[in-house]
Amino acid sequence: MAVALFALLLFLSHTPLVPSRPTPVPSDPTSPSSSLSSLSSPCKPKNSSRRLPDIIIIGVRKGGTRALIEMLSLNDGVAAADSEVHFFDWESHFQRGLSWYASQMPCSRRGQLTVEKTPAYFTSAKVPDRVLQMNPSVRLLLIVRDPVERVLSDYTQVFHNHLQKHKQPQPIETLLLQDDGRLNLSYKALNRSLYHTHMQRWLDAFPRQSFHVVNGDALIREPLEEMRKVENFLHLEPQISTENFYFNRTKGFYCLRDRQGSERCLHSSKGRAHPQVAPEILQKLREYFHQPNQNFFQLVGRTFDWNRASEDRLDTRTE
């Protein structure tokens, strides 16, 4: 009954979500090792071009990547791709080569930094070396949040997708727990929250100074403070200010105001209510992630107060 009620509330409150997909283009035989000098596609105006990204937001899924790229695009020094390109993790795209990848980027002026985001990059084993081959100097942004909350957001997205496809969603307890009450470690959402496992793979390819880790929980509460850190890491002129944010009480999070004064909020799929989960299951999750979190803190050289975030769970509209 609880699952059915949760499904009904989501279905009534949410408009259809259009999946992000790259613009289809003819297959390009250029290999990933081709010369970078010939990769720009024709672009209007003539003083701009499409270039390989200087910045990649590599993850995490349901960590706040859409909010991050939208906020970053408030800075005039950045040109942001509209959709998730999935170049490095989808073989059908990777085989099209770097010239195809560049063609998926936005038009940018000389001096602007190009950024794309594909959250699946973080957890894909083959991606770090492929990115390194493209550009060893690329700057990498990783946005993380409380792993328990991320699992719940992950479930909520899949739950909603099942509703759209008229499929019966499974209760979260069925996915999280085995018959004997122990956590189901084969549940993919749990693996995506084991940040240290995936971060170690990236650090095997890139030095730590190539990364900036964004606090996704703080980005929700205090976006300006987090975005100033991002601008500093990217050596951008600090342009993002308090004028770029206003709090939408209906949605329960900050919306954006660009340089022309136009206002926009994230898609209505963001901020959906999470399912209610029994306290004993939340405790199992906190215990499971405790040591992996400590390992992640050591890898990135900073800590996050995720235990408090999980215990409080004050904001249930953070997907």
Side-chain angles (χ1 to χ4, degrees):
M1 178 65 72
V3 173
L5 180 59
F6 180 59
L8 179 61
L9 290 173
L10 277 179
F11 184 78
L12 294 175
S13 64
H14 177 57
T15 57
L17 175 62
V18 179
S20 295
R21 284 290 185 267
T23 304
V25 299
S27 179
D28 188 328
T30 307
S31 70
S33 59
S34 299
S35 170
L36 301 188
S37 62
S38 61
L39 295 179
S40 295
S41 313
C43 198
K44 296 180 181 180
K46 292 184 178 180
N47 66 342
S48 65
S49 61
R50 302 185 191 276
R51 306 181 181 92
L52 292 173
D54 307 282
I55 310 158
I56 302 178
I57 300 174
I58 59 174
V60 298
R61 169 178 159 130
K62 308 314 299 175
T65 57
R66 172 51 60 185
L68 177 57
I69 199 169
E70 291 282 351
M71 292 178 188
L72 187 55
S73 67
L74 293 169
N75 190 302
D76 188 50
V78 170
D82 291 329
S83 60
E84 295 175 7
V85 183
H86 287 280
F87 175 67
F88 297 103
D89 62 321
W90 288 3
E91 288 302 319
S92 60
H93 286 179
F94 188 69
Q95 293 306 317
R96 295 185 178 192
L98 287 175
S99 60
W100 179 86
Y101 185 37
S103 76
Q104 304 302 297
M105 294 301 112
C107 298
S108 61
R109 306 186 308 272
R110 183 181 298 276
Q112 276 189 311
L113 299 178
T114 298
V115 58
E116 77 115 329
K117 77 150 186 112
T118 301
Y121 289 165
F122 185 57
T123 56
S124 176
K126 58 195 171 186
V127 169
D129 287 338
R130 289 179 170 184
V131 175
L132 181 69
Q133 182 181 3
M134 178 197 72
N135 182 6
S137 300
V138 69
R139 281 165 275 190
L140 304 168
L141 296 177
L142 173 67
I143 180 168
V144 294
R145 62 190 297 196
D146 173 0
V148 175
E149 292 295 312
R150 200 219 63 80
V151 168
L152 300 182
S153 280
D154 203 314
Y155 168 81
T156 302
Q157 175 172 296
V158 175
F159 184 101
H160 177 77
N161 290 344
H162 276 74
L163 291 180
Q164 285 188 313
K165 297 174 182 177
H166 306 289
K167 294 181 179 180
Q168 179 63 38
Q170 292 180 274
I172 190 169
E173 294 82 2
T174 302
L175 296 170
L176 281 174
L177 299 178
Q178 301 180 100
D179 292 339
D180 61 5
R182 292 182 297 176
L183 287 177
N184 175 18
L185 302 186
S186 65
Y187 182 35
K188 291 181 179 180
L190 290 180
N191 177 269
R192 295 187 187 110
S193 282
L194 293 175
Y195 302 147
H196 76 289
T197 300
H198 311 296
M199 190 67 197
Q200 183 60 69
R201 188 164 52 238
W202 279 91
L203 287 171
D204 289 341
F206 288 91
R208 187 192 285 182
Q209 58 264 31
S210 296
F211 300 87
H212 176 69
V213 181
V214 180
N215 185 333
D217 299 305
L219 189 71
I220 295 170
R221 300 189 304 267
E222 300 175 358
L224 179 57
E225 181 177 341
E226 282 300 305
M227 291 311 300
R228 282 175 172 166
K229 296 174 185 176
V230 174
E231 286 179 315
N232 182 64
F233 169 73
L234 298 174
H235 304 294
L236 288 166
E237 176 187 349
Q239 296 180 4
I240 303 174
S241 70
T242 54
E243 299 299 317
N244 294 121
F245 301 99
Y246 67 97
F247 190 77
N248 186 308
R249 295 187 179 277
T250 301
K251 291 182 173 293
F253 50 75
Y254 282 92
C255 296
L256 310 181
R257 184 182 295 113
D258 64 21
R259 291 178 293 278
Q260 289 73 40
S262 299
E263 297 180 349
R264 66 183 187 276
C265 287
L266 297 179
H267 193 277
S268 55
S269 65
K270 309 303 178 182
R272 294 192 296 242
H274 289 171
Q276 292 298 312
V277 181
E280 57 269 23
I281 298 179
L282 291 176
Q283 183 60 30
K284 287 178 185 287
L285 290 170
R286 283 194 291 271
E287 291 174 356
Y288 174 69
F289 286 119
H290 176 73
Q291 189 55 53
N293 289 346
Q294 301 305 310
N295 297 341
F296 178 70
F297 299 161
Q298 290 184 338
L299 287 177
V300 299
R302 60 181 294 192
T303 61
F304 298 85
D305 192 9
W306 287 332
N307 281 336
R308 188 183 69 177
S310 292
E311 289 166 0
D312 292 345
R313 297 203 67 215
L314 294 177
D315 185 358
T316 61
R317 296 177 58 85
T318 56
E319 191 213 346

